[in-house]
């Protein structure tokens, strides 16, 4: 089944403890992206990647890192999480940016205390 | 600047009623893509439709239909004979294809649809 897999689905962590949210797609998509969803602010892009080893900042990249060493994986790294990073995170992939639409993962609900 | 506006924050209907969700967008690009996504209570984002700026054909898929009008920059979504399972938050989104294209989806704020039995 074609899908984008995010793990974990739920995570509660403490301020400052490094964490990684994994994202993997099995559709050989070139384009991958991370979004966060917050009440009143909607969905905002954090980082995106046009292809392997090509990543760039979205609208809200502060406090996040990403890497794209393989086409299928695009992990989101929080080096020192803070409470303002409590959010619902989505990974998305597409054959290329825009034209074909995007497949989203199931989401990761992160709480930083 | 790009922007997507979903003016209806919440809509409540009774089952079997028809309901239209409005979406108005702003972009300077001549080539762009419009999307609708559904977010059920379980939280995932489910793709419903993609429309290119050069294709103004309306589309029907079962009980769902979409009306794309470039003249009014609108991409409205109608659910016919609504069902309780249609209860969700619906997002309209825009992606531009112009130079500097980042593939970013610009989402509207979403419309929460509640269908009562």
């Amino acid at each position: 089944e074609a899908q984008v897999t995010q793990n974990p689905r739920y995570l509660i962590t403490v301020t400052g403890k490094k964490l990684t949210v994994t994202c993997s797609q099995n559709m050989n998509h070139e384009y991958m992206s991370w979004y966060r969803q917050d009440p009143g602010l909607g969905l905002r892009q954090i980082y995106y990647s046009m292809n392997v080893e090509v990543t760039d900042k979205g609208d809200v990249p502060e406090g996040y890192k990403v890497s794209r060493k393989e086409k299928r994986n695009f992990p989101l790294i929080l080096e020192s999480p803070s409470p303002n990073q409590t959010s619902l995170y989505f990974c998305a992939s597409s054959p290329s940016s825009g034209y074909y639409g995007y497949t989203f993962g199931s989401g990761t609900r992160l709480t930083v205390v | 600047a790009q922007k997507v506006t979903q003016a209806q924050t919440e809509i409540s209907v009774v089952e079997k009623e028809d309901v239209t969700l409005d979406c108005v967008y702003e972009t300077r690009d001549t080539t762009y893509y419009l999307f609708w996504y559904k977010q059920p209570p379980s939280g995932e984002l489910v793709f419903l439709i993609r429309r290119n700026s050069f294709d103004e054909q309306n589309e029907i898929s079962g009980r769902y239909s979409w009306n794309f009008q470039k003249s009014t920059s609108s991409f409205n979504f109608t659910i016919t004979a609504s069902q309780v399972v249609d209860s969700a938050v619906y997002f309209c989104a825009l992606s531009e294809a112009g130079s500097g294209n980042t593939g970013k989806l610009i989402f509207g704020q979403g419309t929460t649809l509640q269908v009562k039995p």
Side-chain angles (χ1 to χ4, degrees):
Chain A
E1 180 190 351
Q3 59 185 0
V4 176
T5 304
Q6 282 180 241
N7 280 298
R9 286 294 307 274
Y10 303 92
L11 179 60
I12 301 174
T13 190
V14 296
T15 299
K17 185 177 180 183
K18 181 180 178 179
L19 67 92
T20 299
V21 183
T22 63
C23 174
S24 180
Q25 49 94 4
N26 62 1
M27 297 166 280
N28 202 36
H29 285 174
E30 291 191 350
Y31 182 91
M32 298 185 75
S33 183
W34 278 100
Y35 290 82
R36 60 178 289 174
Q37 183 179 17
D38 302 289
L41 296 173
L43 285 134
R44 297 174 292 168
Q45 190 184 54
I46 304 171
Y47 267 96
Y48 66 95
S49 169
M50 293 283 195
N51 213 324
V52 175
E53 303 292 2
V54 180
T55 64
D56 209 342
K57 298 176 181 177
D59 293 326
V60 288
E62 295 77 21
Y64 305 95
K65 284 175 55 175
V66 293
S67 69
R68 187 94 183 270
K69 294 188 172 66
E70 310 163 278
K71 194 180 238 187
R72 64 184 293 125
N73 296 323
F74 191 45
L76 180 70
I77 303 156
L78 286 72
E79 295 268 1
S80 183
S82 63
N84 65 12
Q85 291 178 298
T86 292
S87 187
L88 178 59
Y89 292 88
F90 288 102
C91 180
S93 76
S94 177
S96 67
S97 59
Y99 182 80
Y100 295 100
Y102 302 81
T103 303
F104 281 83
S106 298
T108 295
R109 191 168 290 281
L110 172 66
T111 302
V112 184
V113 298
Chain B
Q2 335 96 320
K3 187 178 179 183
V4 175
T5 302
Q6 295 179 253
Q8 306 147 308
T9 306
E10 292 184 22
I11 300 176
S12 182
V13 299
V14 176
E15 210 170 17
K16 296 184 184 170
E17 279 186 35
D18 298 348
V19 57
T20 295
L21 282 59
D22 298 332
C23 173
V24 174
Y25 62 92
E26 294 176 31
T27 178
R28 292 197 186 118
D29 273 22
T30 54
T31 302
Y32 51 89
Y33 314 105
L34 296 165
F35 306 84
W36 276 94
Y37 283 88
K38 174 182 180 180
Q39 187 174 40
S42 49
E44 70 271 24
L45 284 166
V46 179
F47 169 80
L48 295 178
I49 190 171
R50 170 182 61 87
R51 183 54 86 220
N52 306 323
S53 56
F54 41 84
D55 180 4
E56 283 194 74
Q57 263 192 331
N58 292 327
E59 182 155 338
I60 298 175
S61 176
R63 296 183 297 108
Y64 294 171
S65 62
W66 291 268
N67 185 327
F68 176 32
Q69 292 198 332
K70 284 178 79 169
S71 60
T72 56
S73 297
S74 65
F75 187 42
N76 297 336
F77 173 32
T78 297
I79 302 174
T80 303
S82 59
Q83 299 177 1
V84 172
V85 293
D86 296 327
S87 297
V89 182
Y90 291 86
F91 291 97
C92 181
L94 163 73
S95 177
E96 295 173 326
S99 59
N101 168 35
T102 66
K104 178 173 67 177
L105 277 172
I106 298 118
F107 285 88
Q109 288 298 308
T111 297
T112 299
L113 174 65
Q114 183 182 35
V115 182
K116 298 177 182 174

